[in-house]
Amino acid sequence: MQEALRRFRDPDLARPLLERVRHLAGRAAERLGRPPAFMEVCGTHTVAISRAGLRAALRGLVDLKSGPGCPVCVTDPAEIDAMIALARLPGVTVTTFGDMMRVPGSRGSLEEERARGADVRVVYSPADAVELAAACPERQVVFLGVGFETTAPAVALSALEAARRRLANFSVLTAHKLYPPALEALLADPEVELDGFLLPGHATTILGRRRLAFLAERYGVPAVIAGFEPVDILGALHELLAQVVAGEARVVNAYPRLVREEGNPRALAVMEAVFEPVAAAWRGLGTIPDSGLAFRPAWRELDAAARFRVEVPPSRPHPGCRCGDLMKGKAAPFDCRLFARACRPERPLGPCMVSSEGACAAYYKYERAC
Ligand code: SF4
């Protein structure tokens, strides 16, 4: 506990809160007959929890699981293979956020394709990809649309901008994911035992609290929308534990400085104008109805999947990699026999070790004993 407190900006403020959390965790364990299990579904929370030492400070009292919160990690292996296949096409420039570059597909990564001569470029926003398409009319510029509700509106806006400028050489390969259906899939899985969710502040800024209320109303599961400071997370855990102890279930917005009841209507409107929900494949979770985004028919000429129709053989993730189990909260990075041995940040075997928001990378950096 002392070690965790040293990592807080204001340890004197955090100490009584941490003590209250530990006390409540004991009472919740008495009620449940085991330590309560909560899942964070946001890579930024995963990193913040590891960096603050909260998992260690609550070990044995609260089981803090990392779920499907890292955008790169939830991307299905077949989607990654399709991205790599696109990069191999002549005349195509693939643009992507940096995190995607080193993610291993079945037969290499985008970084390796670039080393072999493919035109793969890191951009900081989809708007950069639109500008690249305008500057290079002789190239087909494809943006890889990866991420949750946080990034999808910006991608939709860029697609609209490309259409407005009549850029026939711009398209998007969409692998976007919507996170609430993934939570439903987890709750429907009898092998997954969860007593509450720590909900992501970023994605829920777009969605709003109301769209998450179903967790309590339909499934009787407490959930708290939390910010990213350690004290925000502790406060959210306190709320979750208080609900477990009281036998209640509510979806509480503990991040009101950014998240509103109705979310961000303008971002939702642009996302819903361009994309429609479709079934999507998630690493570890399988195919989940209405959990992905595809272009609506009116915008289908911007769809790289329809424009290029790449065929990829069945994907082959590394056989020992347990990223899929991590997404379900069925394993922790330490449970993977490759962790910190064959799989390390400088030579990752799975996306959870590549991404700065991946659980394996966070555990490697902050939670390894040596
Ligand atoms: Fe996959 Fe590496 Fe994590 Fe193991 S340590 S689950 S191989 S990313």
Side-chain angles (χ1 to χ4, degrees), residues 125-270:
S125 80
D128 292 346
V130 172
E131 292 307 323
L132 184 66
C136 306
E138 75 286 0
R139 306 280 306 170
Q140 282 287 331
V141 176
V142 181
F143 179 74
L144 304 182
V146 172
F148 298 104
E149 292 85 349
T150 331
T151 48
V155 175
L157 205 57
S158 296
L160 289 179
E161 174 64 7
R164 187 189 69 76
R165 292 163 68 174
R166 299 182 192 284
L167 297 176
N169 64 328
F170 176 83
S171 58
V172 176
L173 187 67
T174 171
H176 285 295
K177 304 281 188 286
L178 302 172
Y179 90 87
L183 305 190
E184 289 202 82
L186 284 167
L187 291 172
D189 185 336
E191 291 180 27
V192 179
E193 196 165 58
L194 289 174
D195 302 301
F197 285 110
L198 196 63
L199 297 177
H202 296 144
T204 319
T205 301
I206 305 296
L207 285 178
R209 190 209 69 91
R210 196 178 301 140
R211 291 190 188 213
L212 276 304
F214 74 91
L215 291 169
E217 291 166 1
R218 207 179 306 153
Y219 295 95
V221 173
V224 179
I225 303 159
F228 300 99
E229 291 294 325
V231 73
D232 287 330
I233 295 170
L234 267 187
L237 292 175
H238 188 277
E239 171 63 33
L240 284 172
L241 288 164
Q243 290 192 38
V244 171
V245 168
E248 296 171 352
R250 292 187 305 279
V251 175
V252 172
N253 180 9
Y255 198 35
R257 56 192 192 269
L258 276 189
V259 177
R260 300 197 189 107
E261 187 68 5
E262 72 285 4
N264 181 331
R266 288 180 69 187
L268 286 169
V270 72

Side-chain angles (χ1 to χ4, degrees), residues 318 320-323 326 333 336 338-340 343 349-353 360:
H318 192 287
C321 176
R322 299 199 63 188
C323 280
L326 258 67
C336 175
L338 304 173
F339 178 81
C343 183
L349 299 178
C352 307
M353 189 61 93
C360 297

Side-chain angles (χ1 to χ4, degrees), residues 24-36:
L24 268 183
R27 290 182 58 199
E30 276 172 26
R31 188 170 192 279
L32 297 170
R34 55 167 173 74

Side-chain angles (χ1 to χ4, degrees), residues 39-52 54-55 64-67 69-70 197-204 224-230 232-234 236 255 357 362 367:
M39 177 179 274
E40 87 267 359
V41 284
C42 168
T44 313
H45 276 152
T46 300
V47 174
I49 288 169
S50 291
R51 189 193 293 131
L54 288 179
R55 223 178 306 273
L64 287 177
K65 298 172 185 290
S66 302
C70 149
F197 285 110
L198 196 63
L199 297 177
H202 296 144
T204 319
V224 179
I225 303 159
F228 300 99
E229 291 294 325
D232 287 330
I233 295 170
L234 267 187
Y255 198 35
E357 296 193 340
E367 301 202 32

